[in-house]
């Protein structure tokens, strides 16, 4: 498992079997959301549209990767008694950097994500990975572990967002330069429900816009994943 | 060195926070100017979204570049009026923050007006602000040169429920209904009503969004009171 | 009576867990039995109620332009808020341990968990974005904490019972907890009909 400190001699920067596992494990077997139950907090509220979800996924991946890297570099110098505060300061700094950068490059998306950018700090994935991995491993592997977990988290976020946006709004990537209008009641949609004989009955599902929809979708994703991957089934 | 001594801990924390503070202050200094500019353009775009269909070259707000937005605002006449409808000298509409004005006593408030011209026709852009279900809602109302017919509206909100109240902003069909409605009937001020269960009056009512009674009532109230504030000014213009 | 208004709104209608997903991690991890859920819930009310006014003061008197330094330092908000929260949690832990060993035995193990509970930081950030006053931020803290408490007690009670039901194996545990939370979220939406202003006028 990725949790245990790697004993074999590890190169400063290398890319072997262990490194690959660090990246791919979190996508399925050790997914931060569906298996480790971390980081659900801050981010599900941004899954009603795909574009903010993608930005959020990138932001979380960067923060996890770099906070893992820095913590791992400092791990021998951090005093035990203030460990938590030091980790939080590192994370909060990275999140502030992300916020400043977003304000600079993409103000509308900054507005849309609002307080949820700040909440990356308490996203349990970041803290969880620092404790479970970065405090016991060398920088390069910690960095990869951060990227892997960020991506595993982002994957779930984007899957949920795609389902919610298509059925809730009838579009994809709304608000971004590559907005796709799929199904709706005006002529600029791919399927125009007022004209189409086949889809005349269709309206957007308002449930998908509500927060509860994200819960149902994740519940069902977990169901599907565990049906295929029986070693993850909860025995209790 | 003893890593558990108070000196070490204090020193470590001090060096860490100092370096972090320096790094962040530096980054903020570099990005701040552009960030403020971005915010300005963002707010201006929100106002222009009520002008949909009347913008230069028939573009939508999203198609305008930042420079275009700034140019549109530079070309507009931007008077600021007081509650008696008189123009306040030396003030510019884009410097008025309606949220701050709302905290003042009613008689002392100043209101922004933007006058936009497209193809020889004048459009009067008014700003309104009120309360929704949870928090403040605000909007922009564009009147045609007859000072009666609505050319377009845009709304925004601080915290309405996604999928319900938030639809005043997200749902273009809701906003679209306002086009062509009139605020006066035979010279009497009636404003626009958001009616639950469907509009009954073609000229002064629009359909509410289902499941958002309080937000809809908030919009009705905001429009009624907000446009009324401009009435003395509109009377002066006629 | 804006205080009551804000309290009712944050506790019932805009529940931190059910409509903003705040504090989901510990909500799902510590909701297997009502007893532990109760302990964690109490700790959250406590810490939210303390940290929100403190962060309000920090924001108003240290970070804002009107504050001590006269310059806009709000970009340092995240760091200061989370440091305050971590420090307060540690302080509370020490005080409780010293003066009430019984309470410490009940709450103690949960306190460190709370620092990374998104509901705590989330409360402070919402307070800023909504421009609450000091007294309203106390109401928001207590109300938000109470709402969180209610939600975790309810899900823990349901999870205790559902253990005897015939749930498909792959859905057992976590999967079911998510779906239950979604259903609870919809149930809480029916409280939207409450008009907080009606309480305030009485």
């Amino acid at each position: 498992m990725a949790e245990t400190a790697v004993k074999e001699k590890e190169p400063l920067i290398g890319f072997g079997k262990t490194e690959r596992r660090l990246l791919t494990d979190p996508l399925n077997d050790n997914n931060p959301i569906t298996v480790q139950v971390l980081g659900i907090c801050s981010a599900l509220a941004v899954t009603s549209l795909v574009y903010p979800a993608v930005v959020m996924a990138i932001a979380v991946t960067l923060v996890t990767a770099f906070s893992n890297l820095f913590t791992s570099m400092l791990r021998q110098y951090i005093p035990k008694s203030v460990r938590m505060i030091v980790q939080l300061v590192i994370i909060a700094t990275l999140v502030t950097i992300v916020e400043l950068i977003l304000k600079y490059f993409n103000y509308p998306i900054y507005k849309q994500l609002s307080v949820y950018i700040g909440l990356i700090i308490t996203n349990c994935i970041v803290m969880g990975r620092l404790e479970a991995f970065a405090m016991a491993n060398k920088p390069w592997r910690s960095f990869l572990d951060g990227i892997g977990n960020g991506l595993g988290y982002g994957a779930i976020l984007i899957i949920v967002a795609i389902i919610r946006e298509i059925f809730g709004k009838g579009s994809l990537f709304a608000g971004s330069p590559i907005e796709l209008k799929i199904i709706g009641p005006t002529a600029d949609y791919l399927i125009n429900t007022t004209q189409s004989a086949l889809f005349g009955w269709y309206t957007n599902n308002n449930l998908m816009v509500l927060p509860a929809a994200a819960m149902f979708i994740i519940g069902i994703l977990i169901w599907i994943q565990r049906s295929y991957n029986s070693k993850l089934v909860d025995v209790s | 060195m003893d890593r558990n001594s108070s000196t070490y801990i204090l020193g470590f924390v001090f060096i860490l926070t100092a370096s972090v503070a320096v790094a962040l202050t530096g980054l903020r200094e570099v990005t701040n100017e552009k960030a403020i500019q971005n915010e300005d353009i963002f707010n201006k775009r929100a106002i222009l979204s009520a002008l949909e269909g009347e913008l230069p070259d028939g573009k939508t707000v999203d198609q305008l570049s930042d420079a275009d937005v700034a140019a549109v605002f530079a070309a507009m006449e931007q008077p600021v009026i007081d509650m008696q409808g008189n123009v306040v000298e030396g003030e510019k509409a884009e410097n008025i923050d309606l949220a701050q004005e709302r905290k003042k006593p009613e008689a002392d408030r100043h209101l922004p007006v933007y006058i936009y011209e497209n193809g020889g026709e004048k459009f009067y852009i008014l700003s309104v602000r009120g309360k929704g279900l949870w928090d403040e809602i605000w909007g922009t109302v564009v009147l045609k040169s007859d000072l009666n017919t609505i050319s377009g509206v845009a709304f925004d909100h601080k915290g309405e429920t996604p999928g319900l109240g938030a639809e005043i902003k997200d749902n273009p069909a809701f906003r679209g209904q306002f086009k062509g409605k009139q605020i006066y009937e035979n010279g009497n001020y009636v404003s626009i009503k958001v009616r639950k269960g469907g509009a009954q009056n073609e000229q002064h009512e629009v359909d509410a969004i289902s499941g958002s009674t309080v937000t809809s009532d908030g919009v009705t109230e905001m429009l009624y009171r907000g446009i009324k504030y401009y009435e003395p000014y509109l009377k002066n213009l006629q | 009576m804006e205080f009551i208004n804000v309290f009712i709104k944050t506790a019932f209608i805009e529940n931190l867990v059910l409509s903003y997903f705040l504090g989901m991690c510990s909500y799902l991890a510590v909701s297997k039995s009502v007893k532990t859920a109760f302990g964690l819930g109490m700790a959250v009310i406590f810490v939210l109620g303390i940290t929100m006014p403190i962060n309000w003061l920090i924001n108003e008197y240290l970070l804002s332009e009107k504050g001590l330094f006269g310059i806009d330092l709000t970009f340092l908000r995240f760091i200061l808020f989370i440091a305050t929260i971590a420090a307060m949690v540690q302080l509370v832990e020490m005080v409780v341990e010293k003066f009430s060993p019984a309470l410490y035995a009940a709450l103690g193990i949960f306190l460190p968990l709370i620092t990374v509970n998104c509901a705590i930081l989330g409360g402070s950030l919402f307070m800023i974005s909504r421009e609450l006053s000091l007294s309203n931020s106390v109401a928001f803290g207590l109300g938000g904490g109470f709402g969180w408490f209610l939600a975790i007690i309810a899900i823990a009670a349901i999870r205790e019972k559902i253990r005897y039901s015939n749930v498909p194996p792959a859905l057992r545990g976590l999967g079911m907890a998510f779906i239950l939370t979604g259903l609870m979220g919809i149930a809480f939406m029916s409280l939207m009909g409450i008009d907080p202003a009606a309480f305030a006028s009485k």
Side-chain angles (χ1 to χ4, degrees):
Chain A
M1 291 276 350
E3 257 77 9
T4 49
V6 192
K7 282 288 180 296
E8 77 214 69
K9 197 169 183 306
E10 84 172 82
L12 186 62
I13 288 183
F15 204 82
K17 215 170 156 206
T18 330
E19 282 80 10
R20 203 165 62 237
R21 289 227 15 224
L22 286 176
L23 282 182
T24 53
D25 246 16
L27 290 176
N28 183 9
D29 283 4
N30 202 15
N31 188 285
I33 291 188
T34 59
V35 182
Q36 302 177 52
V37 209
L38 293 176
I40 304 141
C41 332
S42 60
L44 285 190
V46 303
T47 54
S48 61
L49 296 172
V50 179
Y51 186 42
V54 171
V55 174
M56 190 69 175
I58 296 172
V60 170
T61 308
L62 288 177
V63 171
T64 331
F66 282 98
S67 62
N68 258 4
L69 177 71
F70 290 131
T71 313
S72 173
M73 277 157 63
L74 290 172
R75 72 188 187 283
Q76 276 142 12
Y77 307 102
I78 299 177
K80 278 272 169 303
S81 54
V82 289
R83 195 183 70 221
M84 207 159 178
I85 294 196
V86 170
Q87 290 171 351
L88 283 172
V89 168
I90 294 175
I91 301 170
T93 310
L94 289 167
V95 173
T96 312
I97 292 174
V98 167
E99 191 200 21
L100 290 173
I101 290 176
L102 268 184
K103 256 187 183 172
Y104 186 84
F105 285 109
N106 199 335
Y107 194 85
I109 208 86
Y110 161 78
K111 266 296 218 209
Q112 214 169 349
L113 292 173
S114 66
V115 297
Y116 290 96
I117 301 173
L119 287 176
I120 299 176
I121 299 171
T122 46
N123 187 319
C124 326
I125 292 179
V126 187
M127 200 69 183
R129 292 324 292 172
L130 292 188
E131 279 288 296
F133 200 91
M135 289 303 280
N137 284 282
K138 293 213 169 124
W140 172 240
R141 285 192 177 163
S142 301
F143 184 70
L144 290 181
D145 178 76
I147 293 198
N149 274 285
L151 292 178
Y153 165 87
I156 299 288
L157 212 64
I158 292 168
I159 293 173
V160 175
I162 287 175
I163 299 174
R164 285 182 77 182
E165 187 170 348
I166 290 182
F167 293 106
K169 299 259 180 205
S171 62
L172 259 187
F173 302 107
S176 75
I178 49 165
E179 176 167 1
L180 265 179
K181 293 190 160 187
I182 295 173
I183 186 161
T186 52
D188 30 327
Y189 287 92
L190 235 49
I191 304 173
N192 182 349
T193 50
T194 52
Q195 300 293 319
S196 160
L198 204 56
F199 287 102
W201 49 274
Y202 185 91
T203 53
N204 287 332
N205 186 345
N206 234 346
L207 175 69
M208 286 294 162
V209 189
L210 301 177
M215 296 282 142
F216 295 139
I217 295 170
I218 293 178
I220 291 165
L221 284 179
I222 292 175
W223 191 3
I224 295 171
Q225 189 193 17
R226 291 188 181 183
S227 306
Y228 283 101
N229 202 338
S230 54
K231 61 177 182 253
L232 298 174
V233 171
D234 205 334
V235 279
S236 67
Chain B
M1 189 169 174
D2 179 13
R3 298 242 165 82
N4 289 317
S5 73
S6 330
T7 343
Y8 180 81
I9 294 177
L10 278 180
F12 185 89
V13 171
F14 181 77
I15 292 174
L16 183 75
T17 31
S19 43
V20 158
V22 169
L24 285 184
T25 314
L27 184 64
R28 193 222 178 218
E29 279 308 307
V30 177
T31 56
N32 198 28
E33 200 178 317
K34 176 84 189 292
I36 291 172
Q37 201 186 332
N38 284 346
E39 186 179 0
D40 185 45
I41 295 288
F42 181 82
N43 294 335
K44 285 179 175 168
R45 276 182 196 276
I47 293 174
L48 290 190
S49 65
L51 273 172
E52 201 90 346
E54 306 292 346
L55 290 168
D57 314 326
K59 287 181 177 173
T60 65
V61 185
D62 294 334
Q63 286 165 340
L64 291 178
S65 71
D66 287 359
D68 292 340
V69 173
V72 169
F73 268 78
M76 281 198 284
E77 206 182 314
Q78 300 191 12
V80 172
I81 59 163
D82 62 16
M83 296 303 279
Q84 285 75 47
N86 303 315
V87 175
V88 181
E89 292 302 322
E91 288 221 57
K92 216 171 166 204
E94 62 182 53
N95 300 326
I96 294 287
D97 181 0
L98 211 57
Q100 294 303 322
E101 297 297 321
R102 248 169 80 85
K103 290 177 185 156
K104 293 184 193 167
E106 213 165 66
D108 299 343
R109 291 182 195 168
H110 287 174
L111 304 168
V113 182
Y114 300 90
I115 303 170
Y116 172 77
E117 265 192 82
N118 188 30
E121 194 178 357
K122 277 188 172 182
F123 294 90
Y124 293 84
I125 306 177
L126 317 179
S127 304
V128 293
R129 206 169 174 98
K131 243 180 101 50
L133 174 59
W134 302 127
D135 216 319
E136 291 195 315
I137 52 177
W138 58 92
T140 310
V141 179
V142 181
L143 292 184
K144 290 191 173 162
S145 48
D146 65 357
L147 300 174
N148 182 19
T149 313
I150 290 184
S151 151
V153 292
F155 298 113
D156 203 348
H157 58 92
K158 220 172 189 175
E160 300 306 294
T161 321
L164 300 173
E167 294 285 289
I168 57 169
K169 178 186 177 202
D170 300 339
N171 191 342
F174 176 71
R175 281 197 285 139
Q177 295 181 81
F178 285 87
K179 208 177 175 104
K181 302 284 174 204
Q182 298 185 339
I183 57 171
Y184 287 100
E185 184 166 295
N186 304 329
N188 297 319
Y189 178 69
V190 283
S191 179
I192 312 291
K193 188 175 161 68
V194 182
R195 190 183 276 280
K196 212 181 158 188
Q200 291 171 0
N201 183 324
E202 235 170 61
Q203 258 154 17
H204 307 294
E205 290 185 1
V206 297
D207 299 347
I209 290 155
S210 52
S212 55
T213 314
V214 182
T215 312
S216 303
D217 291 349
V219 172
T220 304
E221 192 276 338
M222 168 174 83
L223 289 175
Y224 184 85
R225 190 177 33 77
I227 302 176
K228 203 175 173 60
Y229 285 158
Y230 284 98
E231 231 193 332
Y233 173 72
L234 299 178
K235 283 261 149 63
N236 288 349
L237 285 178
Q238 271 162 354
Chain C
M1 291 314 282
E2 229 189 324
F3 190 88
I4 300 176
N5 187 336
V6 173
F7 182 89
I8 289 174
K9 209 165 88 177
T10 41
F12 297 104
I13 314 167
E14 299 198 288
N15 192 289
L16 286 180
V17 183
L18 301 172
S19 40
Y20 294 107
F21 307 103
L22 296 180
M24 284 299 296
C25 307
S26 28
Y27 167 86
L28 288 169
V30 196
S31 61
K32 283 184 181 148
S33 89
V34 174
K35 211 177 150 204
T36 46
F38 184 87
L40 184 64
M42 291 305 280
V44 166
I45 299 183
F46 202 55
V47 174
L48 252 182
I50 293 181
T51 53
M52 290 214 15
I54 293 182
N55 279 342
W56 190 92
L57 292 171
I58 288 183
N59 188 62
E60 186 77 9
Y61 293 110
L62 279 181
L63 298 180
S64 80
E65 245 168 46
K66 290 169 282 177
L68 198 58
F69 300 110
I71 34 172
D72 183 21
L73 291 172
T74 44
F75 67 102
L76 293 174
R77 192 182 281 154
F78 294 158
I79 296 182
L80 265 132
F81 280 9
I82 196 71
T84 316
I85 291 168
M88 282 320 294
V89 169
Q90 217 139 60
L91 199 72
V92 167
E93 201 178 347
M94 289 189 312
V95 170
V96 172
E97 191 180 7
K98 186 135 200 260
F99 293 103
S100 170
L103 186 63
Y104 183 73
L107 288 187
I109 49 162
F110 299 116
L111 283 170
L113 256 181
I114 284 185
T115 313
V116 283
N117 186 326
C118 339
I120 313 288
L121 182 66
S124 288
L125 294 177
F126 272 122
M127 161 187 89
I128 300 302
S129 81
R130 294 187 188 168
E131 296 163 17
L132 296 179
S133 68
L134 180 57
S135 67
N136 282 350
S137 75
V138 177
F140 191 102
L142 293 176
F146 185 66
W148 202 89
F149 172 83
L150 276 186
I152 194 170
I153 293 276
I155 188 98
I158 299 175
R159 285 181 83 174
E160 274 187 6
K161 295 284 174 217
I162 214 157
R163 217 170 293 151
Y164 306 106
S165 314
N166 191 11
V167 177
L171 199 56
R172 257 173 224 163
L174 191 59
M176 205 58 212
F178 270 107
I179 291 180
L180 286 173
T181 310
L183 289 173
M184 275 168 59
I186 291 183
F188 263 66
M189 276 187 68
S190 59
L191 296 174
M192 256 175 6
I194 298 178
D195 181 7
F199 286 86
S201 64
K202 293 225 166 89

